[in-house]
Amino acid sequence: MDLFRYLNSVAILQTLSLLQQGISAPVFQNLVENNLRHSEFEFCSAIIKTPDTFSSPIDFSIGAISYSYPPYKDTDISLFGTEPENFTTISDVQSSLDENPTITYGNIEQEIESIPVEEPTLISNIGINADQSLVTQPIAFETQRAPYFDTCSLEKSWGLSFDDGPFRWSHKVLDTLEEAGVKATFFINGNNWNCIYNYASVLIRAYKSGHQIALHSWSHPDMRQITAAEIKYQVLYLEDALRKILRVVPRYFRLPYGRGSQSDLVLKTLGQIGYTVIGWDVDSGDANGFSNQKQKDVFRTAVLKGKPYISLRHDVKRTTSEIVVPYAVNLIKEAGYKIMLIAACLGDNDPSNWYKEVGEPQKRDDSWRCGVNDVHLFYGGFKCREIQF
C-alpha cells in the first residue's frame, strides 16, 4: 500500500464508524478532511523528529490510535483511499463506499477501491528548479532499456557492494577494505538514513581510495510506484549532490529494494539518462535482520559454488560493518576469489567509463543540506508540506 492511500485510509478509518451513528454528511466530510490533514501532519512530524529512522517504519498517532508506515505485517488495515487529487469531498468517499461494499474493517462492511494509475509518459530535457520542481518536456516512449546485470561475468570474480550509505559505520567498512587491500562499490543515497552532506568525508575518502561510487536514488522509493519524472528527480537530485561533494556523476545505478528490473518504465527512464543498472545474486540479509551467524552462512554457502557473484550488504548496519564484513572479505579471498569493483568484474576496466562527469569538487556552502521537502517522493509519492512546530 503506498503512503497516500495509507494516510487516506487512516483518515477515513478515524471517522468511518460515524456513518452508523446518523451523523450528517457535511459534518462527516469535515471530520474526514481534518483527519487527513492531521495524519499527514503527524507522519511528517515523525520524519522531522526522527531523521535517522527514514528506512524503518515511521510511528505516528492520530488521537489515541497508533499507526506505522510502512504498516507492520499484522496491521489490521485493509481499506484503500483514493489518490489525493481525487479525495476532495465526502461525495467521493461515499460514491466509492456505495459501489464497493466488499471488504470488512472491524464491524464495517465497506471498501474504497484504489484508482487505476495511467502509465506515465517519459520526459526529456529535464532540469531541477530552485524549489526542487522539475522542468520537463514530453517525448515518445522510445528509449532503450538500461542494461541490467545481477552477477559478475569474469571467472572467480566477486563484486563487493554496499547500499544506503554514507553513514556513521561506513568508515569502519573502508578501514576493513583498506587493510585487506580490496576495492568495493558503494551505492549511495542522498537522504535516506541520513543526509549525504553530513557524511561527505566518507564519500571523499571512498572515492580517493579507488572505490567505485554509484547511485541508489535520493530517498530510496520503490521505483515501480513512481512516475518517470519522479525517477529522474531521484537520480538528478543525487547527481547534483555528488557534483558538489566529489565532482563526479556515476554511470551505475542500483534500484531501491532491487525492485523495477522487470519494468519497462523504470529501465527505459534510467536508460534515457545513461545508466547501467546493477542487481545482486548474494544477499547477506542484513537489511532483513539476519543474525551475524546467518549472514556468515550465506557467504559460506556461496563460496562453495565457485561461480562469480555480486553481493549486497549495507554499510548503514553496525554489525555488518564491524563483524560480518571482515569475516566475509577474508572468507572470499581464502576461497580464491578476486574481489573487484562491479564495473571491473563486468569487464570494464576503464575508469573513464564509470562516470559521466569528472571534475573538481565544490566548496561547502549553504546548499549542502537536506530537508523534508527534498524527500517529496519518500514512500512512493508522498510530499510533506512545510510544517511549523
Side-chain angles (χ1 to χ4, degrees), residues 3-4 6-12 14 32-46 60-62 67 382:
L3 181 56
F4 271 132
Y6 182 76
L7 291 181
N8 285 338
S9 298
V10 168
I12 295 166
Q14 288 289 315
V32 171
E33 292 176 348
N34 285 338
N35 275 327
L36 177 57
R37 286 191 293 271
H38 193 185
S39 64
E40 291 175 347
F41 177 89
E42 293 297 335
F43 181 82
C44 290
S45 298
F60 62 103
S61 298
I62 312 296
Y67 298 94
F382 185 69

Side-chain angles (χ1 to χ4, degrees), residues 165-166 188-190 195-208 213 218 237-249 359-365 367-370:
I188 302 301
N189 286 138
C195 176
I196 188 172
Y197 298 113
N198 294 340
Y199 292 96
S201 62
V202 172
L203 291 178
I204 293 169
R205 178 187 175 188
Y207 179 67
K208 288 185 174 180
I213 306 300
W218 179 257
Y237 204 64
L238 182 52
E239 283 185 0
D240 187 53
L242 289 176
R243 283 190 187 94
K244 294 174 182 177
I245 298 171
L246 300 176
R247 194 54 182 91
V248 300
V249 176
E360 292 298 320
Q362 301 176 16
K363 294 182 179 180
R364 182 181 286 270
D365 59 27
S367 69
W368 287 41
R369 56 189 173 85
C370 303

Side-chain angles (χ1 to χ4, degrees), residues 59-108:
D59 298 320
F60 62 103
S61 298
I62 312 296
I65 303 178
S66 297
Y67 298 94
S68 295
Y69 190 86
Y72 296 102
K73 291 181 180 179
D74 59 351
T75 301
D76 186 19
I77 290 184
S78 57
L79 186 68
F80 277 73
T82 65
E83 293 289 358
E85 60 267 23
N86 298 315
F87 182 73
T88 55
T89 68
I90 193 60
S91 61
D92 299 324
V93 179
Q94 289 176 324
S95 294
S96 295
L97 291 172
D98 293 340
E99 294 170 3
N100 304 289
T102 58
I103 288 184
T104 300
Y105 178 79
N107 296 321
I108 304 168

Side-chain angles (χ1 to χ4, degrees), residues 15 18-19 22-34 88-91 94:
T15 49
L18 297 177
L19 284 174
I23 192 169
S24 67
V27 173
F28 181 71
Q29 174 183 344
N30 288 334
L31 287 171
V32 171
E33 292 176 348
N34 285 338
T88 55
T89 68
I90 193 60
S91 61
Q94 289 176 324

Side-chain angles (χ1 to χ4, degrees), residues 4 15 39 58 162-163 176-177 199 204 211 228 266 352-353:
F4 271 132
T15 49
S39 64
I58 300 296
F162 298 90
D163 285 12
T176 298
L177 298 177
Y199 292 96
I204 293 169
H211 300 288
V266 171
S352 66
N353 293 331

